[in-house]
Amino acid sequence: MNRQKAFVRNGTASYTLSTDIFTLTDYTQSNVTSDTYDLLYFGRTDKSYSINSTSVPVVFKHALSWIEIKVKGNTGSLVTDRVWSITNVEFSGVATVGDFTYNGLAAGSAADPKAYWNNCSDAKNVVVFNEDLDIDPERPRQPLSSTATIIENVSHGTLVIPQTAKMLYVTVKYQSPANVEITEVVEVDIPSVTTAWESGKKYIYELTFSPKEILIAPTVEVWPDDAPGLVEEDFDLQ
């Protein structure tokens, strides 16, 4: 017996049994990272379970993209605490509303994906880090060091709807030779290797600061599925 049930914070969920297509329309992801939530899904299983079962083992997959920013300095003049510091990191024009579809009968290829997003809209700036929102009250700014450090306001990172990668802006404050504090907003181009943020992937952008430039090194990792476990009582099999 096939049953389906959706648990979502927002959007409109629908399911067609004959085509095994689940759709979540107008899903909204906040542009405030402290208010974001992961969106998980799992597909149809070929196994059958007794109607008397109280739990069903499932493996959840991630429908969103995970972005992580790291910063470091590469010379002695940059690594002194409070000489150079990051005060704001944000992406510009990130879509915060979209439609998610899971097609259980699809081939699961690039041309015929099982899970995909479309109709992405409502672009907003997403602040990854801001000194006024820092979770550590003793650290009003994120100083640069010679070791790459994750820079974010929330520990769970930046979760966004998959879409074309957006422009990254970094606000830097530093002391001039005349001991005057200077503030600059730097536009950082996202490398072409990561022009599209995809579901279930983690994108790490490491920014290396020098006196004349900012270098960006991208890394793409598979965001591991949630470990197999038992979802109890949430699924009414009767």
Side-chain angles (χ1 to χ4, degrees):
M1 180 178 294
N2 289 299
R3 302 281 187 182
Q4 64 84 28
K5 193 170 184 179
F7 301 89
V8 294
R9 286 185 170 273
N10 61 70
T12 302
S14 63
Y15 177 73
T16 303
L17 180 60
S18 59
T19 58
D20 195 20
I21 294 179
F22 169 82
T23 302
L24 180 58
T25 305
D26 291 334
Y27 175 80
T28 302
Q29 179 71 303
S30 174
N31 66 317
V32 180
T33 56
S34 60
D35 294 335
T36 57
Y37 296 90
D38 195 3
L39 179 62
L40 302 171
Y41 69 95
F42 66 92
R44 172 184 289 181
T45 176
D46 294 330
K47 296 181 179 180
S48 298
Y49 297 89
S50 168
I51 196 171
N52 296 318
S53 299
T54 58
S55 61
V56 177
V58 295
V59 178
F60 287 92
K61 296 182 179 295
H62 300 275
L64 301 176
S65 303
W66 179 5
I67 300 175
E68 184 176 271
I69 306 294
K70 294 183 177 181
V71 295
K72 69 176 183 179
N74 68 351
T75 69
S77 63
L78 290 179
V79 301
T80 303
D81 187 16
R82 305 300 179 182
V83 174
W84 283 70
S85 60
I86 307 297
T87 61
N88 191 76
V89 178
E90 67 182 70
F91 286 98
S92 174
V94 177
T96 58
V97 177
D99 298 341
F100 173 73
T101 300
Y102 174 81
N103 184 347
L105 300 182
S109 64
D112 188 22
K114 284 184 174 295
Y116 55 90
W117 289 85
N118 55 25
N119 300 325
C120 297
S121 62
D122 198 12
K124 296 179 181 179
N125 288 1
V126 173
V127 177
V128 178
F129 173 82
N130 182 276
E131 61 177 339
D132 295 330
L133 302 175
D134 199 357
I135 58 177
D136 183 355
E138 300 300 321
R139 186 187 65 182
R141 298 179 188 173
Q142 176 73 48
L144 288 170
S145 71
S146 57
T147 301
T149 303
I150 298 173
I151 183 168
E152 57 191 16
N153 284 131
V154 293
S155 58
H156 66 235
T158 301
L159 309 179
V160 298
I161 292 174
Q163 59 194 279
T164 302
K166 303 306 178 183
M167 188 65 69
L168 177 64
Y169 292 90
V170 181
T171 302
V172 184
K173 288 186 178 182
Y174 60 94
Q175 300 290 334
S176 71
N179 202 32
V180 176
E181 187 172 74
I182 298 175
T183 300
E184 290 188 8
V185 179
V186 182
E187 184 178 281
V188 181
D189 290 322
I190 299 297
S192 58
V193 68
T194 57
T195 53
W197 294 330
E198 300 177 6
S199 295
K201 291 187 178 180
K202 180 180 181 181
Y203 297 86
I204 303 171
Y205 298 106
E206 183 173 300
L207 307 179
T208 302
F209 288 73
S210 70
K212 295 183 179 180
E213 62 183 353
I214 299 177
L215 302 178
I216 181 170
T219 303
V220 182
E221 298 179 354
V222 174
W223 188 353
D225 299 334
D226 275 21
L230 296 179
V231 177
E232 299 183 355
E233 299 181 352
D234 285 343
F235 295 88
D236 183 2
L237 301 180
Q238 299 183 21

